[in-house]
Amino acid sequence: MWFFNKMCTSKARLDGKTVVITGASSGIGKETARDLYARGARVILACRNMEKTNKAVEDIKSNPPSWMTKDGYKNDVGELTIYFLDLRSFKSVRDCAKNLLTNEAAIHILINNAGVAASPYEKTEDGNETTLQVNHLGHFLLTLLLLPKMQSSSPSCRIVNVSSIVYILADIDFDDINMEKSYASLKSYAQSKLANILFTKELARRLKEANFHGINIYSLHPGMIPTEISRHSNRTLFRGASFCFNTWARLFCKNVVQGAQTTIHCSVAEKAANETGLYYSNCDVTTTYRKANNHQCAEKLWNVSCRLLHLEPEEDFSTFLKTVSRQLL
């Protein structure tokens, strides 16, 4: 409920830091970009719709977050720039990563925020169910491609994966992960959000075992929020579903500013700098349930995700990252 909402209380500045946010043209992604821009960061909005993203940049530049004055917003802010990224295409993910690696001196924070929900069944050009690829596989690939740059930018680098409490409804059917036999839009969304948490935990484990220091990983539930993520629900659930959800959410759930707070907390809070692989809600660590705690499931998801990306998981993590990077050549 909105009246239980916590706000990020950290006053941390991000001067000299570079942040990449996927899906930052609207919703909590845009509000996260606004906050981190106000803290002095160079914020990269990695998005698919360039016209919409340019409008978002103008809105961010013109309207400070509530905690900052207009005068401070003129003098103490960072930079905003746009990169094209379409998570429905692995080629686009690779092209975006290549551009980031070429043009950016460092990457300190990666926020995997973009997502779709309640989509009709369709496959991407890469042959994967769209929700799975946009919400999980595309971010999985982008993260792996940017990890070497983040390693060279460490310490104090962070990867933030925006999940959802809906994960508790999910299981992952590894024999039918693209749901060709039994598709349901909410089932697909819940599976992708469970995948976000399992990816977070498995990546944290692999980084630790490989002695990669200075990169922390977080997953989170932002809260129930009326955003454009439910735009397909009229087709996949029932006519008027999007209106009903958004009306209910406006009355009883968080607004987008409140919904961005846990993402911001994981990105900047001093306490979170000493934590990794954990799941957050309302700006605090929260216990995960069911398959989100299954280490074998997390490892299996990693291996299946690699196969869908035509990668072979390597025992040695450094060797594996070099193999991933060769895809950019």
Side-chain angles (χ1 to χ4, degrees):
M1 301 292 281
W2 60 266
F3 43 80
F4 291 125
N5 178 67
K6 289 184 181 179
M7 303 294 284
C8 177
T9 58
S10 173
K11 305 298 183 184
R13 295 284 303 174
L14 295 177
D15 302 282
K17 302 291 186 181
T18 297
V19 182
V20 177
I21 309 177
T22 68
S25 63
S26 64
I28 60 176
K30 184 171 80 171
E31 295 310 315
T32 301
R34 191 190 314 276
D35 185 282
L36 303 188
Y37 169 68
R39 295 174 187 265
R42 173 175 169 80
V43 180
I44 295 167
L45 289 74
C47 305
R48 179 169 58 94
N49 188 323
M50 292 294 96
E51 180 181 358
K52 186 176 176 182
T53 309
N54 277 307
K55 290 180 180 177
V57 166
E58 292 307 311
D59 178 71
I60 293 169
K61 287 181 177 178
S62 302
N63 298 290
S66 59
W67 54 265
M68 193 173 206
T69 65
K70 286 273 188 181
D71 288 340
Y73 208 53
K74 292 177 182 178
N75 303 315
D76 297 328
V77 296
E79 301 174 69
L80 294 169
T81 191
I82 296 172
Y83 280 66
F84 178 76
L85 171 65
D86 185 351
L87 290 161
R88 298 173 303 177
S89 164
F90 290 150
K91 181 181 184 304
S92 177
V93 174
R94 293 186 183 100
D95 288 345
C96 180
K98 189 172 184 178
N99 289 333
L100 287 166
L101 296 173
T102 300
N103 299 327
E104 301 299 326
I107 297 174
H108 302 94
I109 302 172
L110 170 62
I111 302 175
N112 292 318
N113 165 82
V116 294
S119 298
Y121 188 82
E122 60 182 9
K123 285 192 172 182
T124 67
E125 63 184 42
D126 303 293
N128 299 301
E129 189 272 316
T130 297
T131 302
L132 177 69
Q133 180 158 329
V134 171
N135 293 3
H136 168 59
L137 291 172
H139 286 131
F140 181 88
L141 176 59
L142 180 66
T143 302
L144 294 179
L145 291 169
L146 297 184
L147 266 175
K149 174 72 78 173
M150 297 189 76
Q151 185 185 21
S152 67
S153 307
S154 65
S156 303
C157 289
R158 307 188 189 198
I159 299 167
V160 181
N161 295 318
V162 178
S163 182
S164 169
I165 197 171
V166 174
Y167 85 87
I168 64 175
L169 304 175
D171 286 315
I172 297 180
D173 183 353
F174 290 106
D175 295 323
D176 188 30
I177 198 167
N178 278 304
M179 295 190 173
E180 296 170 317
K181 299 175 184 177
S182 59
Y183 180 77
S185 58
L186 289 180
K187 178 182 175 183
S188 173
Y189 179 68
Q191 174 184 256
S192 71
K193 296 293 101 178
L194 174 59
N196 294 152
I197 299 172
L198 293 173
F199 171 46
T200 299
K201 292 187 174 186
E202 183 65 10
L203 179 58
R205 183 186 72 81
R206 288 175 183 256
L207 288 174
K208 181 179 180 181
E209 289 186 354
N211 291 315
F212 276 46
H213 302 293
I215 304 176
N216 290 1
I217 307 97
Y218 316 83
S219 63
L220 64 97
H221 168 54
M224 299 298 292
I225 307 152
T227 70
E228 294 182 8
I229 196 170
S230 63
R231 60 189 177 275
H232 298 295
S233 58
N234 290 335
R235 284 190 292 161
T236 58
L237 298 178
F238 58 87
R239 184 176 296 179
S242 180
F243 173 80
C244 291
F245 170 76
N246 286 333
T247 300
W248 176 80
R250 288 188 183 96
L251 290 173
F252 299 106
C253 300
K254 298 180 180 183
N255 59 39
V256 290
V257 174
Q258 294 167 336
Q261 295 306 306
T262 303
T263 302
I264 296 166
H265 171 86
C266 291
S267 301
V268 305
E270 295 83 354
K271 180 183 176 183
N274 300 315
E275 301 165 342
T276 190
L278 302 178
Y279 173 74
Y280 296 73
S281 180
N282 245 0
C283 298
D284 207 352
V285 176
T286 302
T287 302
T288 50
Y289 302 96
R290 302 181 70 243
K291 281 204 171 179
N293 297 328
N294 188 317
H295 300 302
Q296 289 82 10
C297 188
E299 184 175 6
K300 189 169 185 178
L301 175 66
W302 181 281
N303 293 336
V304 169
S305 300
C306 286
R307 286 198 295 273
L308 291 172
L309 288 161
H310 306 292
L311 294 168
E312 285 297 327
E314 299 277 353
E315 288 298 321
D316 181 80
F317 193 64
S318 296
T319 302
F320 172 70
L321 289 181
K322 290 177 182 177
T323 302
V324 176
S325 296
R326 281 197 291 270
Q327 290 194 355
L328 297 178
L329 300 177

